[in-house]
């Protein structure tokens, strides 16, 4: 028994004192109580309070020490002292608990005031995000073609040769494959021939095939997404985005194709009388095939989309590739070309976006320059 051994016995105790030894313990209790109470009151946070608790009630704590001293007493004395010590121990535990809940409340109050969040404040303009022009164009394309009854289909970026080329009437070794400089990947050992030759899709036309393989006409879809070619210069990037359109039904012809694309271009570029022309061109998966141009005029050092007052001033720029789906492509997807016809079209989404919003350089789309995005981006709450 180490503490306060020579204190004089104290008076007014709530329990009887049996002899001198008893009074020594009682003295210890009183002294210890005021000491511990002082320490508990002085503990200003939960960590400090826990240290006081361990020093008092822990395995080697001072109250525990006093309890251990009971073992050396005779039974009569132990009974009285044990009772007194238990009362004391409970008292200390109670004082600790009261202090603990006070400190917990203090802790919570200070966190509530320091971490306060005013949910009624309006958003701060400097931290506001914007919609990337490519995303914005895709939303617009979905809206325009959605209104014409087209739904959105998807396909994988990692494609096989069959869907990207062969089924689209680019036979193996055909020179038309050279038109699209391709990133090849490792072959897939689980598939044979061109179905196991893996690549990054060079165009979204592969999704036409996937859709026709798994659906039966009538079909009306668009597909948008990333496409990849081993190209890199002023007007070509290795990754870019395309939109593809496909309609398959009975009695579909070039007139439907031109009408659909004219309506699209007028809605997208917001020019009511925008002229359009189709020029013959070659894509293996369409017959006949066409490059699609829209009209513009030169104005004040720049250009303006629209019809020229004088036909001699009419200029043209290419925006799309299109045509009637080649019978071989329909056959490759188990669709009878004598019963069904279709048209298809495809365009670069960056190119459409640059034209609509006057963005001069393709490469800036992918530079992740926050100033560029702040300038060309769109408010996330504004509807296309
Ligand atoms: C095709 O990819 C055809 N699949 C389009 C098509 C679909 C024709 C359906 C007929 C029927 P082309 O290779 O021309 O066509 O590419 C279409 C557009 O993608 C181009 O006009 C251009 O805007 C864009 N493009 C092509 N390569 C790049 C590139 N490296 N970087 C940015 N845009 C590109």
């Amino acid at each position: 028994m180490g503490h306060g051994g020579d204190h004089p016995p104290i008076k007014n105790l709530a329990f009887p004192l049996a002899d001198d030894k008893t009074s020594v313990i009682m003295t210890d209790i009183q002294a210890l109580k005021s000491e511990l109470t002082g320490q508990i009151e002085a503990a200003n946070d939960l960590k400090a309070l826990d240290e006081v608790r361990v020093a008092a009630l822990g395995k080697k704590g001072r109250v525990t020490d006093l309890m251990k001293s009971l073992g050396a007493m005779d039974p009569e004395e132990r009974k009285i002292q044990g009772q007194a010590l238990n009362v004391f121990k409970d008292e200390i535990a109670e004082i600790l608990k009261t202090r603990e809940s006070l400190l917990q409340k203090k802790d919570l109050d200070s966190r509530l005031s320091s971490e306060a969040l005013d949910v009624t404040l309006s958003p701060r303009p400097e931290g506001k995000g914007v919609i990337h022009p490519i995303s914005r164009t895709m939303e617009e394309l979905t809206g325009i073609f959605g209104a014409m009854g087209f739904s959105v289909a998807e396909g994988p970026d990692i494609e096989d040769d069959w869907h990207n080329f062969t089924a689209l009437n680019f036979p193996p070794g055909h020179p038309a494959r050279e038109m699209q400089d391709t990133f090849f990947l490792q072959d897939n050992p689980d598939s044979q021939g061109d179905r196991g030759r893996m690549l990054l899709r060079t165009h979204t036309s592969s999704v036409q095939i996937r859709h026709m393989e798994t659906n039966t006409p009538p079909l009306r879809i668009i597909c948008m997404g990333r496409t990849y070619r081993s190209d890199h210069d002023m007007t070509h990037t290795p990754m870019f985005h395309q939109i593809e359109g496909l309609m398959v039904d009975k009695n579909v012809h070039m007139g439907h194709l031109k009408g659909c694309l004219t309506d699209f271009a007028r809605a997208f570029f917001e020019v009511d009388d925008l002229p359009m022309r189709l020029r013959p061109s070659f894509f293996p998966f369409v017959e006949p095939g066409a490059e699609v141009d829209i009209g513009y005029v030169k104005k004040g050092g720049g250009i303006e989309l629209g019809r020229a007052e004088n036909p001699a001033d009419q200029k043209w720029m290419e925006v799309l590739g299109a045509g009637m789906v080649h019978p071989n492509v329909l056959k490759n997807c188990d669709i009878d070309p004598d019963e069904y016809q279709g048209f298809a079209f495809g365009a670069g989404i960056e190119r459409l976006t640059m034209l609509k919003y006057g963005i001069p350089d393709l490469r800036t789309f992918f530079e992740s320059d926050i100033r560029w995005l702040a300038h060309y981006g769109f408010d996330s709450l504004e509807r296309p």
Side-chain angles (χ1 to χ4, degrees), residues 63-75:
V63 178
T64 317
D65 273 352
L66 277 180
M67 299 292 268
K68 282 181 193 157
S69 72
L70 291 172
M73 296 176 188
D74 58 54

Side-chain angles (χ1 to χ4, degrees), residues 269-324:
F269 292 110
E270 298 171 40
V271 178
D272 286 345
D273 188 29
L274 186 63
M276 176 172 279
R277 73 175 189 191
L278 271 58
R279 274 180 297 117
S281 183
F282 173 74
F283 299 96
F285 38 94
V286 285
E287 179 59 37
E291 305 271 16
V292 181
D293 298 341
I294 53 174
Y296 70 95
V297 284
K298 287 193 166 161
K299 224 175 201 174
I303 65 157
E304 190 179 284
L305 293 181
R307 192 178 299 279
E309 274 174 38
N310 178 353
D313 296 333
Q314 187 72 65
K315 306 277 182 220
W316 298 97
M317 71 171 83
E318 182 202 320
V319 285
L320 286 138
M324 300 305 294

Side-chain angles (χ1 to χ4, degrees), residues 168 170 179-180 202-206 208 227-233 235-245 282-286 289-291 318-325 343-352 362 366:
L168 283 162
F170 292 83
M179 287 158 53
Q180 302 187 2
T202 56
H203 52 178
T204 40
S205 302
S206 53
Q208 287 185 29
T227 44
Y228 308 82
R229 291 183 197 179
S230 182
D231 280 346
H232 205 192
D233 59 34
T235 53
H236 297 85
T237 48
M239 191 280 293
F240 56 103
H241 298 77
Q242 281 192 346
I243 176 171
E244 187 83 10
F282 173 74
F283 299 96
F285 38 94
V286 285
E291 305 271 16
E318 182 202 320
V319 285
L320 286 138
M324 300 305 294
V325 180
F343 66 71
F345 55 87
I349 294 182
E350 283 78 8
R351 182 156 166 72
L352 294 175
L362 169 72
F366 310 111

Side-chain angles (χ1 to χ4, degrees), residues 31-56:
L32 192 54
K33 183 174 172 184
S34 70
E35 191 188 335
L36 290 178
T37 310
Q39 287 177 4
I40 292 169
E41 295 303 321
N44 266 329
D45 57 44
L46 291 163
K47 187 168 172 279
L49 186 68
D50 198 54
E51 281 165 13
V52 178
R53 186 187 60 76
V54 171

Side-chain angles (χ1 to χ4, degrees), residues 51-287:
E51 281 165 13
V52 178
R53 186 187 60 76
V54 171
L57 303 178
K59 264 204 176 87
K60 293 183 178 153
R62 295 172 62 189
V63 178
T64 317
D65 273 352
L66 277 180
M67 299 292 268
K68 282 181 193 157
S69 72
L70 291 172
M73 296 176 188
D74 58 54
E76 184 63 16
E77 195 190 349
R78 187 184 306 137
K79 193 178 161 202
I80 298 166
Q81 297 302 330
Q83 214 182 359
L85 266 176
N86 275 327
V87 169
F88 172 58
K89 195 176 147 195
D90 290 349
E91 265 177 344
I92 295 296
E94 190 61 34
I95 301 171
L96 276 165
K97 210 171 124 196
T98 310
R99 182 76 185 156
E100 188 184 16
S101 45
L102 189 98
L103 288 176
Q104 275 169 342
K105 187 173 174 314
K106 222 176 95 186
D107 192 47
L108 186 66
D109 285 348
S110 88
R111 275 179 49 205
L112 282 175
S113 65
S114 69
E115 293 170 17
L117 184 72
D118 185 350
V119 291
T120 64
L121 275 180
S122 48
R124 303 215 186 133
E126 60 271 27
K128 208 172 73 169
V130 291
I131 303 291
H132 194 281
I134 292 291
S135 306
R136 168 67 171 223
T137 297
M138 287 186 176
E139 284 172 16
E140 291 174 8
L141 295 170
T142 309
I144 294 169
F145 285 107
M148 292 194 235
F150 287 79
S151 52
V152 175
E154 285 182 344
D157 288 18
I158 296 176
E159 198 39 288
D160 56 54
D161 189 302
W162 165 258
H163 290 96
N164 195 82
F165 290 124
T166 313
L168 283 162
N169 203 32
F170 292 83
H174 193 283
R177 287 182 174 228
E178 298 291 312
M179 287 158 53
Q180 302 187 2
D181 211 348
T182 312
F183 291 111
F184 287 96
L185 305 173
Q186 247 176 8
D187 289 358
N188 173 7
D190 299 331
S191 300
Q192 298 296 311
D194 53 7
R195 289 182 189 264
R197 197 172 313 113
M198 306 308 288
L199 45 87
L200 291 176
R201 69 177 177 194
T202 56
H203 52 178
T204 40
S205 302
S206 53
V207 184
Q208 287 185 29
I209 303 299
R210 289 193 174 271
H211 193 74
M212 287 191 279
E213 280 175 343
T214 49
N215 293 273
T216 47
L219 307 172
R220 221 184 276 199
I221 54 137
I222 56 166
C223 160
M224 293 176 289
R226 294 193 186 101
T227 44
Y228 308 82
R229 291 183 197 179
S230 182
D231 280 346
H232 205 192
D233 59 34
M234 284 277 285
T235 53
H236 297 85
T237 48
M239 191 280 293
F240 56 103
H241 298 77
Q242 281 192 346
I243 176 171
E244 187 83 10
L246 172 73
M247 172 166 181
V248 179
D249 206 338
K250 290 176 178 163
N251 306 317
V252 176
H253 55 70
M254 288 290 275
H256 296 128
L257 169 63
K258 189 173 181 191
C260 173
L261 293 181
T262 304
D263 280 355
F264 150 69
R266 290 179 178 179
F268 181 75
F269 292 110
E270 298 171 40
V271 178
D272 286 345
D273 188 29
L274 186 63
M276 176 172 279
R277 73 175 189 191
L278 271 58
R279 274 180 297 117
S281 183
F282 173 74
F283 299 96
F285 38 94
V286 285
E287 179 59 37

